Amino acid sequence: MNLNKLIKDIEILECTADADTDIKGICYDSRLAKPGFLFVAVRGFETDGHRYIPKAAELGACAVVCEEKPEIDIPYILVKNSRLALALLSCSFYDHPARKMKMIGFTGTSGKTSSTYILKHVLEQAVGAKVGLIGTNGNMIGDKLLHSERTTPESLELQELLNEMYCEGCTHVVMEVSSHALTLDRVAGIHYDVAVFTNLSQDHLDFHKDMEDYAAAKRLLFSRCDRAAVNIDDKWGQFMLEGCECPVLTYSTEDNDAGLVAKDIRMTANSVRFAGVYGDSLALIKLGIPGEFSVYNAMGVAAAGLCLGIDLQTLSDAIGTAPGVKGRLETVNTGKDFSVIIDYSHKPDALEKVLKTLRPVTSGRLICLFGCGGDRDKLKRPIMGRIAAQNADLVIVTSDNPRTEEPQSIIDQIMEGVKEFRTPCQEIEDRVEAIHWALDNAREGDVILLAGKGHEDYQIVGHEKHHMDEREIVADYLSRN
């Protein structure tokens, strides 16, 4: 691509590169530079891309985008923000694939993954769409599952993925939009047809300075969409509305003035159902995933569908056939007289919700096994300990991706909250041993919640990722005992 065409959307402070240069590719990792590539020097949290300009040049990079002039003789484009430039350059290089598909973004603390999977199913069933999905559990192009490292990919990989989705016939893309992605400009240059706000509770305070900063990052999405759907029951819902520059559909289980209201809510051990009211339209909506949060997930999906012009009854019919989501209240077949549930609840609000969901369907003890991630928000650790001890009959505190922190140190911080209650508790640092102990000590009617890993099939210790799938651990252990 001609450099002049590539850089037309970025703010340039100074340029020494020839505008007619043919750019064969873009990279921000110097090791991936090739002859004819444009290297973007991005300042990261652990290193600074400007240090690797010589390496990129050595491998053939023909020009560099940077925030400070290179120390070597290489054509450069000087910009104020390299991250933002990378996103806009990536959009141009792949010819703005997001503009060619319907883009639906979900943001919030909890419910994003389940909601995106449900909406993907709904769009496939209701309008026959081929749907791309981007999120925590992985990326999908129709039925094809792709691996992902983070909820929202870096901007270059994101645009490459969107282009692949378009080239393979996707008409819609449903994606989780994280606060990191918004703050770090990974989704810059993308305009959404519909943006959905699910809820907001404490998370990522290792990255954001406080909840207001976290909420402000989420709110950025609502200045980049044609229509918005907002959960007005959440205390941050009004804050999100203040950032909307487009028509808004609010949804609620409490406020009859909301655009979409859930009434006559019924919950069972394996489903929720309610009457969805939208203006003069009424439809019975059923979702085969238990819990109050499933009501809100179904409402958010329905609201997104309404914003896309799909009628309520069609949405209701499609939601009713949506399957469960891996790692979200996933039941593991044990063949025993007790139950094992795997859930991704790794945040205080999510853990509390899933424990309260399981309590009414537990005839024995509710056992909560969990840990907290290392190198992440430390403030939530005693809070999660408190929630577990307050809502479970037995707590097992263990490890969950300790990364570079000492596992026992993380456990000690969790225990500060657990010790406020008299709930029986076991500290077992090794997560596999902790699961074995839970299975050994389970009684008839007990429900064992393995919280925090969900869809993940690994444990990160130090900087290394080791295979660890809780489904395999449970099945293997029970087959031998």
Side-chain angles (χ1 to χ4, degrees):
M1 176 181 284
N2 180 274
L3 179 62
N4 192 46
K5 181 179 178 181
L6 186 64
I7 63 176
K8 63 183 177 62
D9 292 330
I10 67 172
E11 184 179 349
I12 299 171
L13 302 179
E14 185 179 335
C15 180
T16 65
D18 183 347
D20 290 325
T21 303
D22 182 35
I23 301 299
K24 301 185 184 303
I26 301 172
C27 66
Y28 58 91
D29 182 337
S30 62
R31 296 168 295 184
L32 301 179
K34 297 178 181 179
F37 269 46
L38 178 66
F39 175 64
V40 184
V42 176
R43 297 188 194 280
F45 295 103
E46 296 181 359
T47 189
D48 184 350
H50 291 79
R51 293 171 50 194
Y52 302 97
I53 292 175
K55 178 65 175 179
E58 179 186 326
L59 292 175
C62 59
V64 60
V65 174
C66 48
E67 295 176 10
E68 59 186 49
K69 295 180 182 181
E71 295 181 355
I72 65 169
D73 184 19
I74 184 173
Y76 64 85
I77 300 103
L78 194 67
V79 298
K80 183 178 180 181
N81 184 336
S82 290
R83 282 188 182 276
L84 177 58
L86 175 65
L88 300 180
L89 289 165
S90 301
C91 289
S92 294
F93 187 79
Y94 288 103
D95 195 25
H96 300 277
R99 296 178 183 176
K100 305 169 187 177
M101 300 175 286
K102 292 286 185 182
M103 299 292 300
I104 304 98
F106 282 78
T107 198
T109 304
S110 302
K112 299 188 299 299
T113 300
S114 294
S115 297
T116 53
Y117 272 81
I118 296 167
L119 183 58
K120 179 179 185 292
H121 172 84
V122 167
L123 292 172
E124 291 166 344
Q125 296 296 309
V127 299
K130 183 169 183 179
V131 183
L133 182 143
I134 301 172
T136 307
N137 272 23
N139 304 322
M140 297 184 73
I141 298 177
D143 295 329
K144 183 171 69 175
L145 181 63
L146 309 173
H147 177 68
S148 65
E149 289 291 339
R150 48 167 69 111
T151 298
T152 311
E154 185 54 79
S155 57
L156 179 61
E157 287 78 17
L158 176 58
Q159 293 301 321
E160 182 180 18
L161 176 60
L162 290 172
N163 185 59
E164 184 180 356
M165 289 176 170
Y166 173 71
C167 291
E168 292 200 21
C170 288
T171 56
H172 295 67
V173 175
V174 183
M175 65 181 291
E176 300 178 45
V177 186
S178 67
S179 60
H180 288 70
L182 289 158
T183 303
L184 299 175
D185 291 318
R186 292 178 195 155
V187 292
I190 298 176
H191 190 80
Y192 293 84
D193 294 88
V194 180
V196 183
F197 170 68
T198 60
N199 53 63
L200 201 74
S201 59
Q202 182 171 327
D203 196 25
H204 300 307
L205 295 190
D206 56 316
F207 180 76
H208 299 286
K209 62 182 181 181
D210 52 35
M211 285 297 294
E212 286 70 23
D213 184 58
Y214 180 34
K218 296 287 191 183
R219 191 168 69 175
L220 290 172
L221 182 63
F222 299 97
S223 62
R224 307 174 185 180
C225 60
D226 291 332
R227 296 186 68 87
V230 174
N231 173 12
I232 201 63
D233 288 350
D234 188 88
K235 66 179 183 179
W236 292 97
Q238 188 60 45
F239 182 82
M240 298 300 154
L241 290 178
E242 294 168 3
C244 292
E245 300 178 2
C246 63
V248 180
L249 174 60
T250 56
Y251 61 95
S252 172
T253 65
E254 304 167 3
D255 185 353
N256 288 328
D257 292 328
L260 176 64
V261 182
K263 295 188 175 182
D264 192 24
I265 298 171
R266 307 288 178 88
M267 300 191 195
T268 69
N270 54 18
S271 68
V272 296
R273 64 175 65 200
F274 58 91
V277 181
Y278 174 65
D280 295 330
S281 300
L282 184 148
L284 177 63
I285 298 176
K286 180 181 179 181
L287 181 62
I289 305 171
E292 183 183 25
F293 56 86
S294 287
V295 176
Y296 282 103
N297 289 347
M299 289 280 282
V301 167
L306 289 166
C307 288
L308 289 169
I310 306 171
D311 70 88
L312 187 61
Q313 187 58 57
T314 299
L315 291 166
S316 170
D317 293 341
I319 290 171
T321 61
V325 179
K326 184 179 180 180
R328 269 64 178 179
L329 276 176
E330 178 185 351
T331 301
V332 180
N333 184 19
T334 65
K336 304 289 184 179
D337 56 8
F338 57 84
S339 301
V340 175
I341 305 291
I342 293 177
D343 193 82
Y344 191 50
S345 42
H346 61 288
K347 295 164 275 198
D349 181 62
L351 184 62
E352 183 174 23
K353 285 177 178 176
V354 74
L355 286 169
K356 287 184 175 179
T357 295
L358 293 173
R359 172 57 70 189
V361 298
T362 303
S363 59
R365 298 172 302 167
L366 180 53
I367 301 170
C368 178
L369 182 152
F370 80 106
C372 289
D375 303 332
R376 298 293 187 268
D377 183 5
K378 296 182 179 182
L379 296 176
K380 73 179 183 182
R381 294 171 184 174
I383 297 173
M384 291 185 68
R386 191 177 305 121
I387 287 170
Q390 192 171 15
N391 292 280
D393 301 304
L394 171 62
V395 175
I396 304 170
V397 182
T398 184
S399 296
D400 183 345
N401 294 334
R403 299 184 176 86
T404 64
E405 286 193 66
E406 286 296 326
Q408 189 58 50
S409 174
I410 299 173
I411 290 172
D412 290 344
Q413 293 170 59
I414 295 171
M415 289 300 299
E416 292 176 14
V418 174
K419 289 175 181 177
E420 295 179 18
F421 299 84
R422 296 182 177 180
T423 307
C425 180
Q426 290 287 325
E427 298 178 45
I428 305 175
E429 182 178 307
D430 185 281
R431 193 173 182 103
V432 176
E433 290 182 15
I435 293 172
H436 291 171
W437 189 93
L439 297 172
D440 281 340
N441 290 274
R443 305 171 188 166
E444 180 180 351
D446 285 355
V447 172
I448 302 172
L449 171 65
L450 306 181
K453 300 299 291 180
H455 62 284
E456 294 179 354
D457 58 2
Y458 56 82
Q459 182 84 303
I460 303 174
V461 181
H463 294 288
E464 295 185 7
K465 184 182 288 187
H466 305 275
H467 180 75
M468 191 190 76
D469 189 320
E470 294 185 324
R471 298 153 198 80
E472 296 174 3
I473 293 168
V474 172
D476 178 66
Y477 192 73
L478 290 178
S479 68
R480 296 184 285 104
N481 292 275

